[in-house]
Amino acid sequence: MSNGAEVKIGLVTDTHYWQRDTPYVTSEGAVQLQPWSEQILNALLDALRAAQLDLVVHLGDLVCGGGGYKMPGEEYEQAMRYVHRRLHELDVPVVALPGNHDLYPGKGDLHEFYGLWQYQEGLGKTIDLPQAQLILLNTMGHSPEQIQSAPDGDPVYGMVSQRELRRLEELLFSSDSRPALLFTHQVLLPWNHRKSWKDYYGVHNAQDVLSLIGRSKRVRAVFQGHAHRLNIQEYAWHSGRRCVFATLPGTIEYPVAWMLLSLRDAEARLQLQRLPLPEICAISARSGDGQYWREGEPGWWDYHFALSV
């Protein structure tokens, strides 16, 4: 990890790797790009290498487990191990958060993910950088009852366990004076842009997390996956302090992109990085009623915010 003036972090989410013959099509007619999973993964790894990063963070949904996709268990296991191996071909540290589609299909457990990525069940991880403390918040901390009552054992929405909430509280209210950056799979703060909000995008006990963020003076930004779209908003707390909430696009749908997060001194910069796959990208972009809205506003494609608190 670089100790210099700048740290470059690659943010990846919702790869939904499953090399199969047919794409998954949503109820709204949006085409996902599973048949091109290998080509997308290869292009992604090439782009991450070329960016000369210090760290890669995957925000979850590495594969097509959980509900909806009906991925066979054996193919789930193979895909999960394959994506883990390929990501670790990079010459930089790689960490990942679990998403709901990283659940074992039909079983509703994350044992395969936790074993590969070395997690304690229901807990996240912390990465300490000179510029900031990175808190990977596990939003897959559902109770057994919540898993069992959900179709296919996949609640879709997020849940932060009580142990994980305590870990977050201890981190945010420690004596550490560095700014904190949070990373989640499901979305903590609903958006108000283009497509309407659905509760399954969110975290069931998001208010508990937001309360901690609001009381703390350290959190400068929250980076979220799950929704396959770019959306950035700054939320002002009662104190006047502001926090950036960024929902990031996946590589499985338009704009088939990852995000470059650069931390330098007291400033952060978030840049949209489209993979050079225009023909594949167009398949998703033109599907349904058009998926161009997923790329967000042009002002979000190169977004600067203050890192200092």
Side-chain angles (χ1 to χ4, degrees):
M1 194 73 67
S2 172
N3 290 318
E6 183 179 49
V7 168
K8 295 166 66 178
I9 304 170
L11 302 182
V12 179
T13 192
D14 294 273
T15 44
H16 287 280
Y17 184 96
W18 187 8
Q19 187 64 48
R20 66 177 199 169
D21 293 336
T22 57
Y24 179 79
V25 182
T26 72
S27 59
E28 296 180 342
V31 173
Q32 297 186 3
L33 301 170
Q34 280 80 14
W36 299 274
S37 288
E38 185 68 7
Q39 194 170 346
I40 292 171
L41 181 59
N42 288 335
L44 173 64
L45 293 175
D46 287 344
L48 295 174
R49 289 190 188 94
Q52 299 184 313
L53 303 169
D54 297 290
L55 173 69
V56 173
V57 179
H58 195 301
L59 298 183
D61 280 1
L62 287 83
V63 298
C64 292
Y69 292 103
K70 308 298 183 184
M71 190 180 201
E74 183 177 351
E75 293 183 44
Y76 159 85
E77 293 177 9
Q78 292 172 350
M80 185 67 77
R81 295 168 188 169
Y82 179 72
V83 172
H84 177 269
R85 178 175 64 79
R86 292 296 311 276
L87 287 173
H88 281 84
E89 292 174 0
L90 298 169
D91 293 328
V92 297
V94 181
V95 293
L97 279 166
N100 59 298
H101 288 295
D102 297 318
L103 291 161
Y104 199 106
K107 294 183 179 180
D109 70 61
L110 285 162
H111 296 158
E112 187 77 23
F113 178 94
Y114 286 151
L116 286 169
W117 292 94
Q118 300 181 346
Y119 274 87
Q120 294 184 52
E121 185 171 353
L123 296 180
K125 294 186 177 183
T126 306
I127 299 171
D128 290 307
L129 302 178
Q131 297 86 348
Q133 185 175 59
L134 312 186
I135 302 173
L136 279 67
L137 189 70
N138 189 335
T139 55
M140 289 299 297
H142 304 80
S143 69
E145 293 75 20
Q146 288 173 317
I147 295 291
Q148 291 168 9
S149 64
D152 298 320
D154 179 0
V156 185
Y157 66 84
M159 184 73 190
V160 181
S161 70
Q162 289 302 308
R163 290 178 64 207
E164 182 72 332
L165 282 172
R166 288 194 294 271
R167 185 181 78 92
L168 177 63
E169 184 173 22
E170 290 171 1
L171 288 168
L172 293 184
F173 294 95
S174 70
S175 59
D176 199 315
S177 61
R178 288 171 299 170
L181 304 177
L182 264 62
F183 302 82
T184 70
H185 180 66
Q186 286 92 345
V187 181
L188 287 174
L189 187 69
W191 58 71
N192 185 21
H193 180 269
R194 297 285 181 93
K195 292 291 182 177
S196 60
W197 171 262
K198 305 290 185 183
D199 286 343
Y200 57 72
Y201 292 126
V203 175
H204 183 70
N205 56 342
Q207 287 305 316
D208 294 334
V209 179
L210 293 172
S211 176
L212 292 175
I213 295 174
R215 287 166 44 208
S216 170
K217 297 180 180 179
R218 295 183 53 212
V219 180
R220 190 62 194 91
V222 180
F223 302 97
Q224 307 150 122
H226 191 47
H228 304 187
R229 64 168 301 173
L230 178 60
N231 185 86
I232 298 179
Q233 55 187 323
E234 290 205 23
Y235 183 82
W237 306 102
H238 294 303
S239 63
R241 184 175 54 84
R242 304 183 73 84
C243 180
V244 174
F245 286 82
T247 303
L248 309 184
T251 61
I252 194 60
E253 290 188 83
Y254 185 84
V256 193
W258 60 283
M259 304 292 289
L260 172 61
L261 175 63
S262 303
L263 309 178
R264 177 186 291 273
D265 300 326
E267 184 182 68
R269 183 182 186 186
L270 188 64
Q271 296 170 278
L272 181 68
Q273 306 289 313
R274 301 172 191 265
L275 295 182
L277 301 170
E279 294 180 359
I280 295 173
C281 193
I283 295 170
S284 171
R286 297 167 184 165
S287 65
D289 293 331
Q291 306 303 312
Y292 295 98
W293 58 272
R294 294 183 183 275
E295 67 185 4
E297 300 294 333
W300 300 338
W301 300 348
D302 190 352
Y303 191 83
H304 295 250
F305 62 93
L307 192 60
S308 57
V309 294

